[in-house]
Amino acid sequence: MSNVLHIPSYLSAEHLGPWETFLVQIDRVEPHLAAELRPLVPILTRPMRALIVNVPIRLDNGEMAHFEGYRVQHNLSRGPGKGGIRFHPRVTLSEVMALSAWMTVKNAVVNVPFGGAKGGVRVDPKGLSPAELERLTRRYTSEIHILLGQDKDIPAPDINTNEQVMAWVMDTYSMNEGRTAMGVVTGKPVSLGGSLGRRGATGRGVFVSTAEAARRLGLEIAGARVAIQGFGNVGDAAARCFADAGARVVALQDDSGSIANPGGFDVRAVKAWRLEHGMLAGAPGAESISADDFWATDADILVAAALENQITAANARQIRARLITEGANGPTTPEADLILQDRGITVIPDVLANSGGVTVSYFEWVQDISAFFWSEEEINARLERIMREAFSAVWEAARQKGISLRTAAFVLGCERVLTAHKLRGLYP
Ligand code: NAD
């Protein structure tokens, strides 16, 4: 790693975790940045603020439990912080820092006026009752209240958080402020100031960016074979878009296992089965396969829509897809990235591919602030236009500079962020 990169004392230098992935990405991008912006790169290698909180709650059995929570604001040079809240038993400060930094880059790539932020609580929400989950959400929101606000920092859903959790965040913030503050969080229920089209927006954006890449690679979406890891909010919405466009979803993997069907699944039927039975195995038309077989699926397109660090040096050589779309944040390790590049596999990076979610979150925020709501057709059309423009800009930059789509997206995003710093100057 180059010496501009700084490892903070509050992370373990030996086990840097996802933050290291981000630092390596910045290291790879730096030589391609405009010369006058390069001296500002160290700003990106430190989060602006990181808040660590204890979240104590009363369990249903009367006992007290404590959970560690975080909210990190990586960079606010282009606008208020924006980024989801993740509930996961293994979430770490390093992970939330990396996710907040990717939000900075992502918001700049699609050119929405937000900085990068992210939050998380180390909890397995499946082990909590709905009432416990509500108390956890409300206490966590109160603990990070000092950072929140529609013009300060605006959370959204992420892994294991949903519209109901966002409604509790909105209500808790509003109660503490003594007014209804809809614009403080996005991904809310539509009846509470949420936006039409938000639920499926990330998956739709994954589909739009994949279709843009496929067209340029001469790959027909109709009839293409698609393997999808992660069948939650992002993976499910993407699967539906692919199926509706005539592609065949031939393999699926989630935390319950992996299934395949070379003829293509009825993805809605598989989702209904998953919801009813809590696992993919046994779904209509499904043959259970091993995780290794999932990665080696004979597919044209692979969508990684689960967690980070899923495509690693261990499985990157098995992948047979020509095109990989990162619906998840950070699913590809830097080593795997180089292997995929060597093998000529095109990777649409997370900061571009999954930016549909934050784009419609931006629309939700604008609608809340203006108290004027748009139709779903209008939202989907605007989303598709923004995604196509961002894709085109990244593709062109990659072609002109002879760099990967990831590096090109980072160049575009980082240059916008660093230009904002340069124009604003250093305070005081
Ligand atoms: P989700 O909780 O709805 O779904 C996560 C999916 O991943 C589930 O199907 C789960 O079973 C699966 N999964 C979990 N662990 C796994 C494992 N070890 N192996 C295989 N599958 C596993 O979450 P989501 O909202 O769909 O988010 C998925 C990814 O997309 C995350 O990286 C998130 O940060 C990113 N993302 C989400 C949004 C959004 O709008 N929801 C926006 C941008 C990025």
Side-chain angles (χ1 to χ4, degrees):
M1 242 186 267
S2 91
N3 56 15
V4 298
L5 301 177
H6 161 83
I7 295 170
S9 65
Y10 47 85
L11 293 186
S12 153
E14 290 77 43
H15 306 285
L16 257 188
W19 182 246
E20 182 171 13
T21 303
F22 174 72
L23 291 183
V24 172
Q25 288 166 343
I26 291 295
D27 207 26
R28 287 184 186 164
V29 165
E30 203 210 341
H32 302 285
L33 295 174
E36 73 275 14
L37 296 175
R38 268 181 236 150
L40 297 172
V41 166
I43 289 172
L44 299 173
T45 66
R46 295 141 167 91
M48 180 187 175
R49 291 188 185 110
L51 179 63
I52 304 175
V53 296
N54 178 37
V55 186
I57 63 160
R58 183 79 57 201
L59 298 175
D60 292 345
N61 65 9
E63 287 174 11
M64 220 169 131
H66 295 263
F67 301 93
E68 194 171 298
Y70 319 97
R71 185 76 189 170
V72 177
Q73 294 175 336
H74 173 258
N75 190 289
L76 304 183
S77 61
R78 300 180 63 259
K82 188 89 195 75
I85 295 171
R86 175 171 293 193
F87 289 169
H88 196 278
R90 288 189 301 277
V91 77
T92 61
L93 177 60
S94 161
E95 182 178 8
V96 177
M97 284 167 61
L99 290 164
S100 71
W102 288 322
M103 288 306 299
T104 300
V105 179
K106 187 185 308 181
N107 290 331
V109 169
V110 277
N111 215 0
V112 293
F114 291 132
K118 200 82 179 189
V121 179
R122 274 176 85 82
V123 61
D124 180 4
K126 294 185 192 87
L128 297 182
S129 70
E132 289 167 339
L133 187 66
E134 178 175 350
R135 291 197 285 277
L136 176 94
T137 303
R138 289 187 182 280
R139 184 60 189 252
Y140 168 69
T141 305
S142 291
E143 293 298 337
I144 64 166
H145 185 105
I146 48 171
L147 296 184
L148 301 184
Q150 74 172 26
D151 50 4
K152 289 166 71 182
D153 188 347
I154 307 131
D158 192 69
I159 291 178
N160 290 327
T161 54
N162 56 20
E163 291 180 5
Q164 177 60 73
V165 172
M166 295 308 112
W168 290 329
V169 172
M170 190 277 255
D171 183 67
T172 305
Y173 180 86
S174 297
M175 288 296 144
N176 288 332
E177 289 282 310
R179 66 189 167 90
T180 293
M182 282 183 172
V184 71
V185 65
T186 60
K188 300 180 295 294
V190 171
S191 54
L192 265 186
S195 179
L196 294 168
R198 173 62 184 89
R199 195 179 297 165
T202 308
R204 180 177 289 273
V206 162
F207 170 75
V208 171
S209 56
T210 309
E212 288 297 298
R215 193 161 55 79
R216 287 167 172 85
L217 295 171
L219 175 65
E220 275 284 333
I221 287 287
R225 296 158 307 161
V226 187
I228 303 181
Q229 188 204 30
F231 199 40
N233 178 313
V234 180
D236 178 34
R240 285 166 198 240
C241 290
F242 279 109
D244 292 348
R248 279 182 287 151
V249 177
V250 294
L252 284 166
Q253 184 189 82
D254 74 1
D255 59 354
S256 74
S258 310
I259 54 173
N261 180 342
F265 289 110
D266 173 343
V267 291
R268 289 173 174 84
V270 175
K271 187 64 185 179
W273 171 276
R274 176 68 173 85
L275 288 174
E276 192 183 338
H277 299 272
M279 57 180 163
L280 289 176
E287 181 201 335
S288 286
I289 55 170
S290 68
D292 280 351
D293 287 346
F294 171 82
W295 293 112
T297 298
D298 193 8
D300 304 296
I301 296 165
L302 171 66
V303 177
L307 300 172
E308 55 265 24
N309 294 338
Q310 297 300 300
I311 303 176
T312 64
N315 61 13
R317 287 186 187 82
Q318 287 167 254
I319 291 171
R320 290 155 84 180
R322 286 171 65 187
L323 177 59
I324 297 178
T325 308
E326 295 186 334
N329 288 307
T332 310
T333 65
E335 306 79 59
D337 222 12
L338 294 180
I339 296 170
L340 297 172
Q341 222 170 315
D342 268 2
R343 295 186 57 215
I345 297 173
T346 302
V347 179
I348 312 175
D350 47 9
V351 291
L352 175 62
N354 70 32
S355 59
V358 79
T359 302
V360 177
S361 274
Y362 165 57
F363 298 160
E364 180 174 336
W365 180 74
V366 170
Q367 292 171 83
D368 287 337
I369 289 176
S370 58
F372 180 75
F373 292 86
W374 313 344
S375 72
E376 190 158 359
E377 294 71 44
E378 210 171 342
I379 286 159
N380 288 343
R382 284 179 198 249
L383 165 66
E384 290 181 20
R385 201 193 67 222
I386 289 183
M387 293 287 308
R388 289 209 175 90
E389 283 173 6
F391 187 91
S392 232
V394 170
W395 184 274
E396 269 315 299
R399 213 179 48 86
Q400 277 171 16
K401 293 180 194 278
I403 53 182
S404 68
L405 292 178
R406 187 185 315 283
T407 303
F410 267 68
V411 168
L412 188 71
C414 292
E415 286 195 343
R416 283 185 177 146
V417 173
L418 296 177
T419 300
H421 276 283
K422 199 166 158 59
L423 290 169
R424 288 179 63 158
L426 183 62
Y427 174 86

